[in-house]
Amino acid sequence: MSTPQESPQAGRHRAGQDAPAAAGNGNGNGRGNGGGAPLVKLINAGKRYGAVIALHDINLEVGAHEVTCVLGDNGAGKSTLIKIIAGLHQPSSGVYEVEGTPVHFSSPREALERGIATVYQDLAVVALMPVWRNFFLGNEVRKGFRMDIGAMKKMCKDELLAMGIDLRDVDQPIGTLSGGERQCVAISRAVHFGAKVLILDEPTAALGVKQSGVVLKYIIQARERGLGVIFITHNPHHAYPVGDRFLLLNRGASIGNFEKSQITRDELTGLMAGGAELEQLSHELESEGGSMAAAAHELEAEVSDLGLSQPSASTDPEAR
């Protein structure tokens, strides 16, 4: 595979060109090599920092035309997982495979060369630069010694249109776009430069309802173009509509790994809510009396409605 630096135009629509071989059954169960190995797979992966266990025995996979959602609260291990898949860190234990081949990335550049692109929450954009300039930042198209500005503007516009993003002017500073639009530009950029796997780090965390919906729409667009998407989030209401697989993390351990047919939205929300923690909080509030006791009763009703009286998360030894 050519790197973006070697051939910026060669990456255009590469994922789309691979799609026929990766389409699988068209229901989100495709694989990257015509039904074979997943694009990315972790087998019993763990990460230690000295005596601190950041991740323990994590299994994850994502194929072409699939969205794998990784859910967990702050401190669950989502950031460490991103760093391993993106090539920033190597796992301390377990196996990391790309298209069926074990890999040992020493840098994010090596992961990118294998088609694994990461869109971080801060997006790494220069707010005062135009959209097209951010799109090609570090991967400029040149004609001789000069940048081919016309070609870059056209490619940027065409790629955004292919993802369903119709900007009035790619010369406008990217800082004038909404949060959702900036996320979508970053997604389009990764697709253009040949990403097969797209890691999205909490793309909807700082967005309102409408803008979150825009981002979810483009996650589906990326899946339909043949990419495997790893969607990192703490919001099950954003994850469930677009997800094909769901990995739930708590304190560095898996508390559930499901295909969509195996779990409902309410069950996913319930596991994320953490029944044991809510019950403990309810007891503490009730002991205070007064208005806190009233709040405790409402919390107990929520726990009951979600079916969290005996949650699997509290009994799973890996979650401790």
Side-chain angles (χ1 to χ4, degrees):
M1 177 185 296
S2 299
T3 66
Q5 286 74 16
E6 292 169 341
S7 178
Q9 297 184 55
R12 179 169 173 75
H13 300 313
R14 187 176 301 149
Q17 291 169 350
D18 290 345
N25 60 12
N27 295 319
N29 295 318
R31 287 290 180 264
N33 55 359
L39 295 176
V40 162
K41 186 172 184 178
L42 294 178
I43 305 169
N44 298 328
K47 182 64 181 177
R48 286 178 175 267
Y49 299 97
V52 177
I53 301 175
L55 286 177
H56 173 65
D57 282 347
I58 300 301
N59 293 288
L60 172 145
E61 66 176 72
V62 58
H65 293 278
E66 283 187 350
V67 177
T68 295
C69 300
V70 180
L71 299 101
D73 286 328
N74 294 335
K78 301 191 303 296
S79 295
T80 302
L81 186 65
I82 291 173
K83 290 172 182 175
I84 289 174
I85 300 172
L88 189 62
H89 292 168
Q90 289 193 3
S92 303
S93 60
V95 179
Y96 179 12
E97 295 181 352
V98 174
E99 297 182 280
T101 303
V103 294
H104 301 276
F105 294 137
S106 59
S107 71
R109 171 59 60 188
E110 290 186 11
L112 188 59
E113 288 172 354
R114 292 294 300 270
I116 300 169
T118 305
V119 177
Y120 290 100
Q121 200 170 343
D122 60 9
L123 297 179
V125 297
V126 183
L128 296 179
M129 281 187 176
V131 172
W132 70 266
R133 190 72 177 86
N134 275 279
F135 193 93
F136 285 96
L137 195 61
N139 298 285
E140 290 80 3
V141 178
R142 297 187 178 276
K143 184 185 290 185
F145 293 102
R146 296 187 177 184
M147 291 192 300
D148 192 342
I149 294 174
M152 286 191 284
K153 287 183 179 180
K154 184 178 186 307
M155 280 190 278
C156 176
K157 181 78 171 176
D158 290 347
E159 188 64 58
L160 293 175
L161 280 173
M163 288 290 289
I165 308 167
D166 188 9
L167 290 183
R168 293 180 299 277
D169 185 7
V170 294
D171 274 313
Q172 66 189 100
I174 199 168
T176 64
L177 302 182
S178 68
E181 288 172 329
R182 288 196 297 273
Q183 285 281 351
C184 297
V185 170
I187 292 171
S188 297
R189 181 181 189 274
V191 172
H192 176 82
F193 286 108
K196 293 182 180 179
V197 176
L198 187 61
I199 307 170
L200 302 177
D201 175 22
E202 297 273 10
T204 61
L207 303 181
V209 174
K210 183 176 180 181
Q211 289 300 317
S212 294
V214 170
V215 174
L216 296 181
K217 172 184 174 183
Y218 295 121
I219 290 175
I220 294 172
Q221 289 268 25
R223 177 178 66 187
E224 290 180 347
R225 292 187 64 176
L227 276 74
V229 180
I230 300 173
F231 177 20
I232 312 293
T233 183
H234 63 272
N235 191 329
H237 298 287
H238 291 167
Y240 197 81
V242 300
D244 299 295
R245 299 173 183 272
F246 305 94
L247 170 64
L248 289 89
L249 298 179
N250 182 29
R251 299 180 185 178
S254 169
I255 59 172
N257 200 335
F258 307 95
E259 294 186 6
K260 193 163 192 171
S261 61
Q262 298 173 322
I263 191 168
T264 66
R265 186 199 305 261
D266 287 345
E267 289 168 341
L268 187 66
T269 303
L271 285 169
M272 277 292 296
E277 289 83 357
L278 289 178
E279 286 184 336
Q280 169 101 19
L281 177 59
S282 174
H283 295 323
E284 291 175 359
L285 290 174
E286 191 164 13
S287 67
E288 295 291 332
S291 59
M292 290 193 180
H297 293 316
E298 291 187 16
L299 194 56
E300 286 173 357
E302 290 288 335
V303 171
S304 177
D305 288 343
L306 289 171
L308 296 175
S309 299
Q310 294 179 342
S312 59
S314 65
T315 59
D316 187 341
E318 288 188 358
R320 299 185 184 278

